[in-house]
Amino acid sequence: MPQDTPPHQWKTLDQDLNRLSRLEAATMYTSRPLVGVGVSLVFVTLAAVAAAIFTGGEPQGLAVVVAAAFGAYMAINIGANDVANNMGPAVGAKALSLLGAIAIAAVFESAGALLAGGDVVSTISKGIIDPAGLSNTMVFVRAMMAALLAASIWVNIATWVGAPVSTTHSVVGGVMGAGIAAAGFATVSWPTMGAIAASWVISPLLGGIIAAAMLAFIKWRVIYVEDKIAAARVWVPVLIGLMSAAFGAYLALKGLKHVMKIDLPTALLIGAAAGVIFWALSVPFIRRQSEGLENRNRSLKTLFRLPLVVSAALLSFAHGANDVANAVGPLAAVVYVQQSAGVAAEVTIPLWVMLIGALGISFGLVLFGPKLIGMVGSQITKLNPMRASCVALSAAVTVIAASWLGLPVSSTHIAVGGVFGVGFFREWYMERRARKANVNGASGTRLARQERARRKLVRRSHFMTIVAAWVITVPAAALLSAACFWMLSLLGF
């Protein structure tokens, strides 16, 4: 523009350029979800192509190709929804950036799936239905495909509304619904379903109680003492040792059970050894790290940050090892049926099938995981490294306790229940302090009531949404699965 242009025209040009800049930013923001959908479609297509290659293009391999696409879709949804439970607390506590959490989770989820995901998986998940009721191979293939598709759709819906749900329960509901549609209600093991329903209550309650108890202990022995740093030097290594013991046993039971046969006493011995070793290593480490720190709560956050990051990585490894079967178990069953023309309760998972599960979980985490990570980490209640460490420790300890008691529990429910437990404990503690501080006079009572109303430290809307999603997961997945079974029947699969 010429130098003699009036100033008001310069101003008009600046305004126009600013509008164009905002329009471009808005366009990029609205198109970002489409990029994730596009990449997901490419991955699902590649999974189907891989299945076609490994089945040799045989006519009966069409079911394997379609099942591979469904399995890839399920793996993406597991990454988008389930992984948030492991990484959300660390991100909410600002111990990890969102990008760092995604990178660590992608590596450890894939490593867990490929290294410890195992060679054998029960295709009739947890004995929900009688395999004899699905002895016809085509009916069996149709049921497995319907279960996969229905579980994927349900987890996708849950991710969209911002509710972390159990992918295991989604597959359970899918298998149950397909079994009922194929062979009637008599084929379902209702005692097994009753135990799974009980876990809807048991899992979050155990996780919440243990997480709240750990936070109470940290407040009592570390935060509210005169010399916080000296107390931290004693108790943080003990907590690291306890966390190491819990994760050692957790990984032995859940992450390595397909590689070698490990019973609970052996797992506990492995955990105890890991706890002693890491306690001994952490004593000098915490002492060096605490040198020069001020006697304040902010300093304590520094000491808890590294243990929290390590625990999040270990949880991701165990999750990848344990939950990859939710994506590829039914797919492996379809592959087995097409190759052997027979139905089996357990099948070997080919490497290419396991790769679909591992890569799909990582893609889902990278493309769609941030939404649930942010919700679990910061929108339910405010977390810091101490509180988030309590959630991580609760997840591992609860699984060990549940395995000892023989209770079927969900890692998703445990982790999110731990977040709720920490939040509700903070509410109770704040209310208790407010009542003590305002015991004198009516005005003090009124102030305490106002303080309690203001300090609702757990978002009730998220609480109700998540609990409702948990309750309806199995029946919703079952209804979807029955509908998918009938649709596949009409299509001739």
Side-chain angles (χ1 to χ4, degrees), residues 209-233:
I209 290 170
I210 293 175
M214 291 304 305
L215 182 58
F217 178 82
I218 290 173
K219 284 181 177 292
W220 173 47
R221 301 301 299 177
V222 180
I223 296 176
Y224 294 122
V225 299
E226 186 174 348
D227 192 339
K228 303 177 191 298
I229 302 302
R233 286 173 177 169

Side-chain angles (χ1 to χ4, degrees), residues 343-354:
V343 177
E346 292 186 345
V347 298
T348 299
I349 301 182
L351 178 61
W352 68 269
V353 173
M354 191 67 76

Side-chain angles (χ1 to χ4, degrees), residues 67 141 159 174 314 329:
V141 167
T159 304
L314 291 174

Side-chain angles (χ1 to χ4, degrees), residues 1 29 43 47 135 146 155 208 215 227 252 271 287 308 331 372 398-399 452 489:
M1 186 173 289
Y29 179 81
F43 175 72
S135 56
V155 177
L215 182 58
D227 192 339
R287 185 169 296 277
L308 176 58
L331 169 57
L372 266 295
T398 304
V399 169
R452 288 197 297 272
S489 300

Side-chain angles (χ1 to χ4, degrees), residues 41-325:
L41 286 174
V42 170
F43 175 72
V44 169
T45 304
L46 290 175
V49 170
I53 293 172
F54 283 101
T55 54
E58 299 175 0
Q60 66 268 27
L62 178 60
V64 176
V65 172
V66 177
F70 292 169
Y73 178 39
M74 181 62 180
I76 289 171
N77 282 294
I78 290 175
N81 191 291
D82 230 17
V83 180
N85 309 313
N86 304 326
M87 287 297 163
V91 173
K94 296 182 172 56
L96 275 173
S97 66
L98 181 60
L99 184 61
I102 289 173
I104 290 174
V107 170
F108 280 85
E109 288 279 341
S110 299
L114 293 174
L115 297 178
D119 298 321
V120 178
V121 63
S122 175
T123 58
I124 306 301
S125 184
K126 302 183 188 301
I128 297 160
I129 58 176
D130 182 6
L134 301 177
S135 56
N136 183 290
T137 56
M138 280 309 300
V139 173
F140 179 81
V141 167
R142 195 177 299 141
M144 291 298 101
M145 292 170 65
L148 258 183
L149 181 58
S152 305
I153 293 172
W154 172 247
V155 177
N156 198 340
I157 292 171
T159 304
W160 181 65
V161 300
V165 296
S166 169
T167 55
T168 302
H169 286 179
S170 301
V171 172
V172 164
V175 172
M176 182 186 77
I180 291 173
F185 285 90
T187 194
V188 178
S189 173
W190 294 109
T192 301
M193 290 306 304
I196 292 170
S199 75
W200 298 341
V201 177
I202 295 168
S203 299
L205 276 181
L206 278 176
I209 290 170
I210 293 175
M214 291 304 305
L215 182 58
F217 178 82
I218 290 173
K219 284 181 177 292
W220 173 47
R221 301 301 299 177
V222 180
I223 296 176
Y224 294 122
V225 299
E226 186 174 348
D227 192 339
K228 303 177 191 298
I229 302 302
R233 286 173 177 169
V234 173
W235 289 110
V236 172
V238 172
L239 293 173
I240 290 174
L242 181 59
M243 187 176 292
S244 302
F247 277 113
Y250 179 93
L251 289 172
L253 278 177
K254 305 290 284 185
L256 302 175
K257 65 180 180 180
H258 300 306
V259 177
M260 62 186 75
K261 182 67 175 178
I262 295 178
D263 55 14
L264 183 61
T266 304
L268 292 176
L269 284 175
I270 293 172
V276 171
I277 291 170
F278 281 94
W279 168 79
L281 293 174
S282 64
V283 170
F285 173 77
I286 293 297
R287 185 169 296 277
R288 287 195 304 271
Q289 197 177 30
S290 64
E291 290 177 359
L293 292 179
E294 298 180 14
N295 189 33
R296 52 193 301 191
N297 289 345
R298 183 174 295 180
S299 301
L300 298 177
K301 296 177 183 178
T302 302
L303 300 178
F304 276 89
R305 188 166 284 120
L306 182 60
L308 176 58
V309 173
V310 174
S311 66
L314 291 174
L315 269 177
S316 291
F317 182 90
H319 177 268
N322 192 59
D323 278 23
V324 69

